[in-house]
Amino acid sequence: MGNKTKLLEFIENVIDKHKIQGDSFADLFAGTGSVGDFFKGRHQIISNDFMYYSFVINKAKLSFNEPPKFDRFSEKYSANIFNWLNSKIFKPNKHFFIYNNYSPIGDRMFFTKENALKIDGIRITIEELYKDKILSENEYYYLLASLLESVTKVSNTSGTYEAFFKFWESRAKKDFQIEPLDLFKCKTAKEHVVYSEETNKIVRQIEGDIAYLDPPYSVTQYASAYHVLETIARYDFPFIKGVGGKRDKGKNVSLYSRKQLAINQFEDLFRQIKFNHILLSYSNQSIVELEELVLLAKKFAVDNKVHIEELNYKEYKNHRSSKKGNGKKLKEVIIYFRKDLKHNKSPLNYSGSKDTLLNEIIKELPKKVDVFVDAMGGAFNVGANIVANKKVIYNENNPFIFNLIDWIINNDRKYLTNKIEENIKSFKLKKGSKDEYIKLRDYYNQKDPSSLNLYTLHMYGFQNMIRFNSSLKYNTPNGVAGYSDDIKNRMLSFIPKTKKVDLTNLCYSEIDYHSFEKDTLFYFDPPYFITSAAYNDGKRGMKGWNADSEIELLSILTKIDKLGLKFILSNVIAHKGKTNHILNEWIDEHNYKVVPIGKSGWRYSKNEVLIKNFND
């Protein structure tokens, strides 16, 4: 079920058509590894599947460019290991799990008694050979994968292990023989990597060039469909139940097979995956509509461009689908897009900006984000780089900063760069030029407090600070920086990733939190209580940040939590020997999740954390 062997040429043609290149190729729902095995001579393969039996098969296929020779075994036994295993005679005992549970001995007809006995015997022998160091680790996986593949040739089923036939099907009556696992032979030796993780988790940890995605697209759970293979691979004597003797699925339940949750899984996958080229294999049998999936992919694609390639072939039939499908044509689709991996850095250099921590913040987002509220937006580095289904709200209490972002967002960027360059020329500004800078500063304070003039001042001011005195007059001294190609390019390219952006100039405490829908995420980046900066010392004509401010913010976050809404708070718990005890106690009281995300700040670095009230 879901095997892509017949589609390898189709996948290859799509790659060739779009001239997709790259050193690394990730097969992230790898199954039996046919795709990774096929491409292993051309790319470094990163393979992943949350089923352990799949891990075993992929480990075997990607560890060898040709079948192993089992040198240590041959030297010891002077025999072909497959002939040797097939010739062994086994006697059943109470520890032979397959024999006692999946043959007529256990009132189930997955295998004949004779075949079940050999499966158990060979499985145990493989373990003993590995323990005695007669097999290397890679040879162990190859032999175990060979056993799993051989088992499917005598299984008394229609292909999966959800049920067995009530009669002995002809192939099930054949004598079991373990045969070498087939794999693509190639000359190029590459270092491949094999994982066994939930895909949406592993994409937060890896990156590369090409990613092929083949998630389950029906209600069938692979943990249920292949539970016997999982048990043979693990040989962990699980508790089983029911007519089919199924093991507990544990964590191996795919949310892609649940209609109400699948689209959220895709949103999370598209958001978190850090590969340049995405190839998604999907079909018209999906529980998610193709059109819905394509619209979602466009939100995360470079220039919102998504390509759809189609191939028709007869659908796979299991014991469920065979009654309803009647062999109708399955339209297999590959959705291809280039992932937009670029972070648009704000052209506003503002204290506390999170541009260097964006990757870590995005990793912690919930699976579904309909509305993203950047509640203390500052330079708008976070909110502008978030893809939300409906809209992003930028909120900033400081009217000067708010007006600057409003000016940037709501004007043509080429127009803005032209006006900035004209302004620089008009005031004859140069890096480090004190007199010209003071002339513009006086002009701003006395005649024209426009966003254009403030932005120009900020570029040439000391450390790009935007600072005012108690009379709200701009008083930053001149610095050594100025206008540059980098700032110009940032201005031209600073386009929010979510098309609809609302701007509000409110104190965060004035926001009506009751008015927001369920899948809203609030992000807060307040001044840090145990650190100090010009914008939060209360001496510059702006409200400072003190213990009362900290307590007020935490009480509002608690309110958001009680409303069933999600929040992420950026903060610092400890810094230079000081601890934010108020924050610490609040976290412990509500059992919120704390995620260390690294250092920020080039001058006075601090170890930042994110505090979340959700786990998905």
Side-chain angles (χ1 to χ4, degrees):
M1 184 175 66
N3 189 292
K4 290 297 180 283
T5 301
K6 295 181 179 179
L7 299 180
L8 293 174
E9 186 178 342
F10 175 42
I11 298 168
E12 186 177 36
N13 289 340
V14 173
I15 290 174
D16 291 341
K17 176 180 177 179
H18 293 282
K19 299 178 181 178
I20 299 169
Q21 296 180 338
D23 293 329
S24 58
F25 183 107
D27 187 10
L28 295 179
F29 297 84
T32 54
S34 59
V35 175
D37 191 31
F38 181 73
F39 286 103
K40 69 184 180 186
R42 286 169 265 183
H43 307 278
Q44 181 208 23
I45 303 299
I46 304 169
S47 169
N48 179 68
D49 197 286
F50 70 176
M51 299 297 292
Y52 181 69
Y53 81 86
S54 292
F55 170 83
V56 170
I57 294 171
N58 281 276
K59 185 76 172 174
K61 289 182 176 181
L62 295 175
S63 294
F64 296 99
N65 292 333
E66 58 182 25
K69 296 178 180 179
F70 299 98
D71 291 332
R72 273 180 280 180
F73 176 88
S74 298
E75 183 178 344
K76 182 176 178 63
Y77 292 99
S78 299
N80 175 283
I81 195 168
F82 291 95
N83 294 338
W84 184 81
L85 287 170
N86 287 325
S87 66
K88 287 182 71 69
I89 304 298
F90 302 102
K91 292 183 180 181
N93 61 47
K94 63 181 180 180
H95 302 300
F96 277 37
F97 196 82
I98 304 303
Y99 177 81
N100 288 307
N101 291 284
Y102 297 108
S103 80
I105 297 297
D107 294 325
R108 298 184 180 95
M109 294 175 61
F110 284 103
F111 308 102
T112 64
K113 291 188 294 183
E114 295 78 12
N115 285 344
L117 179 62
K118 290 192 72 174
I119 292 167
D120 277 313
I122 291 174
R123 177 65 183 89
I124 293 168
T125 302
I126 291 172
E127 209 65 39
E128 290 172 343
L129 291 171
Y130 180 58
K131 177 180 70 69
D132 294 338
K133 298 183 179 180
I134 297 170
L135 298 177
S136 69
E137 181 176 290
N138 288 342
E139 288 172 340
Y140 166 79
Y141 284 117
Y142 181 85
L143 209 53
L144 184 50
S146 298
L147 174 64
L148 294 170
E149 185 71 20
S150 299
V151 161
T152 64
K153 298 174 183 178
V154 296
S155 301
N156 194 40
T157 69
S158 63
T160 68
Y161 295 85
E162 294 176 291
F164 50 82
F165 292 130
K166 301 302 187 291
F167 59 91
W168 291 112
E169 203 262 346
S170 58
R171 68 173 180 168
K173 293 188 286 186
K174 296 177 181 177
D175 290 336
F176 177 76
Q177 297 281 303
I178 181 172
E179 298 174 354
L181 177 73
D182 286 333
L183 47 78
F184 276 94
K185 295 180 181 180
C186 59
K187 296 180 180 179
T188 307
K190 294 181 180 290
E191 290 293 325
H192 307 299
V193 184
V194 184
Y195 296 99
S196 183
E197 294 277 1
E198 198 272 322
T199 300
N200 286 49
K201 177 181 177 182
I202 199 67
V203 294
R204 287 166 160 83
Q205 303 167 25
I206 61 175
E207 58 186 43
D209 300 312
I210 306 167
Y212 174 69
L213 310 174
D214 181 29
Y217 46 74
S218 69
V219 296
T220 301
Q221 289 285 348
Y222 279 63
S224 175
Y226 296 103
H227 67 97
V228 173
L229 296 183
E230 188 75 359
T231 295
I232 294 172
R234 292 183 179 276
Y235 217 72
D236 53 355
F237 302 91
F239 172 76
I240 61 175
K241 59 184 178 181
V243 175
K246 294 180 180 179
R247 59 187 291 132
D248 182 35
K249 297 185 187 75
K251 296 179 181 179
N252 291 338
V253 176
S254 175
L255 300 183
Y256 288 93
S257 295
R258 294 184 177 178
K259 188 170 185 178
Q260 300 304 316
L261 301 176
I263 194 65
N264 296 350
Q265 287 294 104
F266 278 111
E267 179 179 334
D268 184 58
L269 180 60
F270 291 165
R271 189 190 313 281
Q272 300 298 342
I273 197 164
K274 292 186 286 293
F275 283 75
N276 293 309
H277 302 277
I278 311 299
L279 297 157
L280 171 64
S281 197
Y282 224 54
S283 84
N284 59 340
Q285 298 293 310
S286 169
I287 57 178
V288 179
E289 292 293 331
L290 186 62
E291 292 77 10
E292 186 177 9
L293 199 55
V294 170
L295 286 173
L296 181 63
K298 285 182 177 180
K299 296 177 182 178
F300 297 93
V302 172
D303 298 327
N304 306 120
K305 291 182 180 178
V306 174
H307 306 272
I308 303 170
E309 308 293 341
E310 298 182 2
L311 179 74
N312 294 322
Y313 74 101
K314 196 170 183 179
E315 73 171 315
Y316 166 82
K317 295 188 291 183
N318 64 13
H319 77 288
R320 293 179 181 176
S321 65
S322 60
K323 296 178 181 179
K324 63 180 182 180
N326 297 319
K328 73 176 183 180
K329 288 288 184 179
L330 171 66
K331 184 171 71 174
E332 186 78 18
V333 171
I334 288 182
I335 300 169
Y336 164 65
F337 64 95
R338 288 175 55 223
K339 172 72 187 288
D340 182 6
L341 295 170
K342 181 183 176 184
H343 290 155
N344 297 320
K345 185 176 180 180
S346 173
L348 179 63
N349 294 328
Y350 188 57
S351 297
S353 288
K354 291 296 182 290
D355 53 286
T356 60
L357 297 175
L358 267 172
N359 280 331
E360 300 306 313
I361 293 170
I362 291 172
K363 280 182 186 178
E364 299 303 323
L365 297 185
K367 291 178 179 177
K368 185 179 183 184
V369 180
D370 281 346
V371 178
F372 183 88
V373 182
D374 203 348
M376 297 170 160
F380 201 26
N381 273 305
V382 176
N385 284 288
I386 302 300
V387 175
N389 293 317
K390 295 183 178 178
K391 65 179 177 180
V392 165
I393 298 174
Y394 167 84
N395 180 70
E396 172 56 45
N397 185 43
N398 185 318
F400 300 101
I401 303 303
F402 173 83
N403 288 335
L404 281 173
I405 295 297
D406 185 30
W407 176 70
I408 293 168
I409 293 295
N410 289 314
N411 280 288
D412 177 79
R413 307 307 152 77
K414 183 64 177 175
Y415 165 79
L416 291 182
T417 56
N418 288 339
K419 295 298 291 183
I420 292 166
E421 290 168 4
E422 288 173 8
N423 209 30
I424 292 169
K425 185 176 181 180
S426 174
F427 284 91
K428 301 178 181 179
L429 291 171
K430 295 180 181 179
K431 292 181 180 180
S433 56
K434 182 178 179 180
D435 293 341
E436 291 82 356
Y437 175 82
I438 291 175
K439 182 179 178 181
L440 173 59
R441 189 176 69 181
D442 291 342
Y443 182 74
Y444 171 82
N445 285 326
Q446 297 167 14
K447 294 185 178 180
D448 184 11
S450 67
S451 292
L452 171 62
N453 287 330
L454 180 58
Y455 184 79
T456 307
L457 284 168
H458 126 276
M459 288 189 294
Y460 288 87
F462 178 70
Q463 294 182 1
N464 299 129
M465 286 195 300
I466 298 176
R467 194 183 69 181
F468 296 82
N469 62 23
S470 58
S471 301
L472 295 182
K473 298 297 183 182
Y474 182 83
N475 68 347
T476 306
N478 73 296
V480 295
Y483 188 62
S484 65
D485 287 341
D486 175 63
I487 288 180
K488 180 176 181 177
N489 291 332
R490 281 160 52 188
M491 178 66 80
L492 291 171
S493 64
F494 189 62
I495 300 172
K497 294 196 175 185
T498 298
K499 290 183 179 180
K500 182 172 174 53
V501 176
D502 290 347
L503 307 176
T504 57
N505 179 207
L506 299 170
C507 175
Y508 73 91
S509 61
E510 299 172 332
I511 296 172
D512 181 8
Y513 295 100
H514 290 86
S515 66
F516 291 91
E517 56 194 85
K518 176 185 174 184
D519 289 303
T520 297
L521 175 64
F522 295 90
Y523 173 70
F524 290 84
D525 182 25
Y528 297 156
F529 179 51
I530 58 173
T531 67
S532 60
Y535 65 85
N536 72 337
D537 60 10
K539 301 175 183 178
R540 316 287 172 180
M542 299 290 174
K543 181 181 177 182
W545 194 267
N546 54 28
D548 286 340
S549 307
E550 190 81 355
I551 292 169
E552 180 184 36
L553 171 61
L554 299 183
S555 67
I556 286 177
L557 291 172
T558 305
K559 172 185 174 181
I560 291 171
D561 189 26
K562 289 180 179 178
L563 289 171
L565 302 171
K566 296 182 177 72
F567 70 73
I568 294 178
L569 168 67
S570 279
N571 220 306
V572 171
I573 296 175
H575 181 63
K576 291 187 175 181
K578 295 185 288 186
T579 300
N580 188 336
H581 296 289
I582 296 171
L583 181 62
N584 237 351
E585 292 298 323
W586 175 76
I587 293 168
D588 290 343
E589 172 67 23
H590 298 281
N591 197 30
Y592 293 138
K593 183 178 180 181
V594 178
V595 182
I597 60 169
K599 290 186 177 182
S600 70
W602 65 274
R603 188 174 178 86
Y604 303 110
S605 65
K606 46 196 175 293
N607 291 307
E608 301 216 23
V609 298
L610 298 179
I611 299 146
K612 303 166 50 177
N613 70 330
F614 58 92
N615 290 314
D616 68 330

